[in-house]
Amino acid sequence: MEIGRLQAKDQEVLNDLLVKVKEQTELFLGYPVSKDFDYQALSDFLKYPMNNLGDPFVTSTYGVGSRNLEKEVVEFFAELFRAPKDNWWGYVTNGGSEGNLYGLYLARELHPKAMVYYSEATHYSVQKNLHLLNMPNIVIRTQENGEIDYEDLENTIRMNRQIPVIIMANIGTTMTEARDDVAKIKNILKRMAIQHYYIHADAALSGTYSALVDPRPAFDFEDGADSIAISGHKFFGSPMPCGVVVAKKSNRDRIARSVAYIGSLDTTITGSRNGHSPLFLWHTIKRLGLAGLKDRAMHSLATASYTETKLKEMGIAAWRNPNAITVNFPTPSPAIFKKWQLAAEHGNSHIICMPNVTKTHIDLFVGDLKSEIILQD
Ligand SMILES: *Cc1c(COP(=O)(O)O)cnc(C)c1O
């Protein structure tokens, strides 16, 4: 079969889009997406229909995929998040939202009558997931910095003490990158002698580097989490959205269902699964190693500290949470807001100092703010 070429006008559409994507990628400080990747070495894999159908740990009759590398990726995160040695499992998802959906799904299968508690600052997708799963839930107040209000959590659970508890903890909230303390939450549950509970950590934004900073925040399996989800296109960086979910194998075994058609276990949310995205994560893990990832985290923290200082020097009320790469400040003018693609909520915006963000970007941004102030005077 002859492979057709695009007509000139269609090719032009693509060329124009490419120019626009390049431009938009350059000025972009408001969303947590790393852009400093180069996966050219993997481009030949785009020629093949990679699909990791079914469970990554159970071979499938469909053989064109990256299962073995996917398993290595999951193992890397299981170790990073101190999962119990012989009792972890997971897979590469389409993103943090799917990982959170999976955590909630597992939790519901284990505790079908449970109440779900999560803070006001929780990612917007969680409510939709709870709706999909039809799980009763209660929203808990947040503190000023975006962290869950432990007192409100304790009081609310006390009112429902007879009901099993599912907690959706935020490890880096979307707006202010606040981390809920999983150890503290676990203590609250212990204190009230709650017998049946499950804690899922939404670590989409800060999961990877939370394990690399000092002091290490309480967020992982040893601290009390039963499952953890991260996004792969955020701190790691990936040309397409992806993520990883890690859970306890014993819990996943309770929902596993064997499917003859794929010759594997149907343990994941979707049937067909992206066979390319594990390659990107694997490539970054192998290329950087733990030391390289830690350097990346330190670079981001240094840039965040620089940003906070620069804004404060201008008299802007900038602030950030401990060991956070997100710098918060009042939403600037619409022109700046649009140019730098800043997110905004209730008059607050932020810059997220992802690893690709440098002092040069921050200086340009601060320059824009300064020239506006001069214009106003
Ligand atoms: C980004 C994010 C999500 C959603 O992850 P996706 O990868 O976009 O699906 C969920 N929770 C938090 C805190 C996030 O930052």
Side-chain angles (χ1 to χ4, degrees), residues 298-312:
M298 294 307 133
H299 164 80
S300 285
L301 286 170
T303 314
S305 162
Y306 178 78
T307 309
E308 185 184 357
T309 306
K310 283 282 159 190
L311 293 177
K312 277 184 178 158

Side-chain angles (χ1 to χ4, degrees), residues 14-86:
L14 281 185
N15 297 349
D16 290 350
L17 177 62
L18 189 57
V19 169
K20 189 163 171 226
V21 167
K22 273 186 191 160
E23 257 172 34
Q24 298 282 358
T25 304
E26 194 45 47
L27 296 179
F28 176 138
L29 292 177
Y31 291 89
V33 173
S34 295
K35 304 173 293 190
D36 58 335
F37 52 80
D38 183 352
Y39 294 120
Q40 292 290 342
L42 300 171
S43 62
D44 276 350
F45 286 100
L46 284 176
K47 295 176 191 159
Y48 304 99
M50 312 272 287
N51 189 335
N52 291 0
L53 205 55
D55 190 302
F57 291 83
V58 183
T59 53
S60 163
T61 32
Y62 187 92
V64 184
S66 58
R67 271 190 157 61
N68 285 334
L69 277 61
E70 181 181 15
K71 283 193 281 190
E72 284 188 42
V73 170
V74 175
E75 183 174 19
F76 173 83
F77 282 101
E79 278 175 13
L80 190 66
F81 297 154
R82 304 186 302 181
K85 273 264 169 302
D86 299 311

Side-chain angles (χ1 to χ4, degrees), residues 69-202:
L69 277 61
E70 181 181 15
K71 283 193 281 190
E72 284 188 42
V73 170
V74 175
E75 183 174 19
F76 173 83
F77 282 101
E79 278 175 13
L80 190 66
F81 297 154
R82 304 186 302 181
K85 273 264 169 302
D86 299 311
N87 188 19
W88 55 266
W89 179 87
Y91 71 98
V92 173
T93 61
N94 288 313
S97 312
E98 185 187 338
N100 289 339
L101 177 64
Y102 196 78
L104 286 172
Y105 171 48
L106 265 189
R108 191 194 68 178
E109 294 311 290
L110 294 166
H111 308 291
K113 299 211 160 81
M115 178 68 75
V116 183
Y117 302 86
Y118 61 99
S119 88
E120 293 178 282
T122 300
H123 191 261
Y124 63 89
S125 64
V126 168
Q127 251 175 355
K128 177 181 55 197
N129 288 344
L130 289 169
H131 191 63
L132 281 170
L133 292 165
N134 198 19
M135 297 167 86
N137 57 85
I138 298 180
V139 182
I140 304 299
R141 277 199 289 273
T142 52
Q143 304 175 48
E144 199 78 44
N145 70 339
E147 190 173 345
I148 197 166
D149 182 328
Y150 302 98
E151 225 179 279
D152 192 33
L153 178 68
E154 179 156 1
N155 292 336
T156 312
I157 293 177
R158 185 170 291 119
M159 286 189 284
N160 303 283
R161 264 188 70 168
Q162 74 286 8
I163 307 176
V165 172
I166 296 171
I167 305 267
M168 173 64 102
N170 291 310
I171 312 307
T173 59
T174 310
M175 279 313 286
T176 66
E177 203 187 326
R179 295 180 176 95
D180 299 339
D181 187 316
V182 169
K184 238 184 220 175
I185 292 173
K186 198 171 167 177
N187 277 338
I188 290 173
L189 300 173
K190 283 248 143 92
R191 207 158 47 232
M192 283 191 283
I194 302 287
Q195 301 290 312
H196 303 289
Y197 62 87
Y198 187 104
I199 302 176
H200 174 79
D202 173 4

Side-chain angles (χ1 to χ4, degrees), residues 168-309:
M168 173 64 102
N170 291 310
I171 312 307
T173 59
T174 310
M175 279 313 286
T176 66
E177 203 187 326
R179 295 180 176 95
D180 299 339
D181 187 316
V182 169
K184 238 184 220 175
I185 292 173
K186 198 171 167 177
N187 277 338
I188 290 173
L189 300 173
K190 283 248 143 92
R191 207 158 47 232
M192 283 191 283
I194 302 287
Q195 301 290 312
H196 303 289
Y197 62 87
Y198 187 104
I199 302 176
H200 174 79
D202 173 4
L205 174 61
S206 338
T208 308
Y209 56 86
S210 289
L212 305 171
V213 297
D214 189 26
R216 184 181 172 117
F219 78 101
D220 68 9
F221 287 89
E222 272 192 24
D223 297 311
D226 294 291
S227 50
I228 302 180
I230 65 145
S231 296
H233 52 287
K234 291 185 178 172
F235 181 71
F236 262 55
S238 155
M240 53 187 82
C242 63
V244 179
V245 64
V246 184
K248 291 179 179 166
K249 185 171 180 301
S250 49
N251 290 340
R252 105 85 166 85
D253 288 347
R254 297 174 63 160
I255 65 160
R257 202 168 58 89
S258 179
V259 179
Y261 172 68
I262 58 172
S264 182
L265 287 178
D266 185 27
T267 40
T268 56
I269 298 267
T270 62
S272 286
R273 295 188 306 108
N274 194 323
H276 288 101
S277 52
L279 298 179
F280 303 125
L281 300 176
W282 186 88
H283 195 267
T284 296
I285 290 170
K286 293 294 169 188
R287 193 170 51 86
L288 296 179
L290 260 189
L293 286 168
K294 186 160 181 180
D295 283 350
R296 249 166 108 71
M298 294 307 133
H299 164 80
S300 285
L301 286 170
T303 314
S305 162
Y306 178 78
T307 309
E308 185 184 357
T309 306

